[in-house]
Amino acid sequence: MATEFTTDITEAVVDSFAGTADPRLRELLGALTRHLHAFARETRPTTGEWERAIDFLTETGHMCTDARQEFILLSDVLGVSMLVEALNGHRDPGATESTVLGPFHMTESPVRELGATIDLVGTGEPCVVSGRVLSRDGTPLPGAALDVWQADGEGFYDVQRPDVQPPGNGRGLFTTDTEGRFRFRTCVPSPYPIPTDGPVGALLRATGRHPYRPAHIHFIASAEGHAPVTTHLFVAGSPYLGSDAVFAVRKSLVQDFAETDDPSLAREFGVANPFRHARFELVLEPA
Ligand code: BEZ
Ligand code: FE
């Protein structure tokens, strides 16, 4: 705590946190104070503008419910979620790149058998997604857990349209087989807009930004002795790959959902031939 009068309000506030027992909390509060004050000095907000900013954050809080997380959305459109992910992500370039979790991983995915469909309503073009979960040295990881979730063919998650989609639609929790393999059926995902009926939507409109995300499927892969990865599989050729509203696209995660004419593979997957097929390998770093 500052003991003498100081005209430097920034240092006075930083000093006021000097007694914080947790050193990391002290560091975070000090840096937050310095950066916020630098922002105010640089932009010189009027009191009306500052009130508007506080109103915006208040509206963001009021928009949050068990089924809606507007603060995550704000962090996403400001690119902070992806930046924090990148700063904490795996350094090993051979491991699968991570991306944002997003706000729709809010219900538990139903446990499903390998090969099952996660598309319970059939709103889109059928496809198969298959691949393996591997350790960094290429060893397959049997018994790995793969949590998968996606929007339906019209671009909505089950929680957004409970009147149209049964709970668990577009979601599945799979376990890899003895060779680390997984496969499931679904529909080819579509691009969709992030929710725009709250303050984050107003921010996008005020700044002329579009709200769309390129077509994708979310994955969390975890296996014993390995660091889990939260990632996406993006559909090659999808609109918005170059302008994702939440800045989460990584080139290494874009895969073809290729038209496949292979009757025996179609039989193995239990789908009509020809079919759309995406392959995806998830590589985990040993913990
Ligand atoms: C999603 O992909 O589910 C998502 C991610 C960030 C913001 C909104 C939606
Ligand atoms: Fe999504």
Side-chain angles (χ1 to χ4, degrees), residues 73 76 100-104 149 157 192 194-195 213 216 218 232 246:
L73 214 52
D76 292 341
V100 295
L101 178 69
F104 293 116
W149 68 105
Y157 285 86
Y192 65 83
I194 62 169
R213 299 216 60 212
H216 62 272
H218 297 261
H232 289 31
V246 303

Side-chain angles (χ1 to χ4, degrees), residues 87-184:
L87 292 170
N88 284 283
H90 313 312
R91 304 246 159 77
D92 186 337
T96 297
E97 287 190 277
S98 59
T99 61
V100 295
L101 178 69
F104 293 116
H105 186 253
M106 58 193 15
T107 61
E108 266 183 34
S109 298
V111 173
R112 300 196 195 277
E113 295 295 318
L114 289 175
T117 186
I118 61 170
D119 179 11
L120 311 177
V121 288
T123 48
E125 189 181 351
C127 72
V128 175
V129 179
S130 69
R132 288 183 303 169
V133 180
L134 306 170
S135 185
R136 180 61 187 87
D137 64 1
T139 312
L141 293 172
L146 204 61
D147 191 351
V148 174
W149 68 105
Q150 72 167 86
D152 68 4
E154 291 169 358
F156 294 98
Y157 285 86
D158 55 351
V159 290
Q160 290 177 291
R161 281 182 143 185
D163 46 332
V164 180
Q165 297 184 41
N169 184 53
R171 300 178 194 268
L173 184 59
F174 297 93
T175 304
T176 57
D177 70 11
T178 51
E179 290 167 57
R181 293 178 305 191
F182 68 87
R183 62 184 187 283
F184 60 90

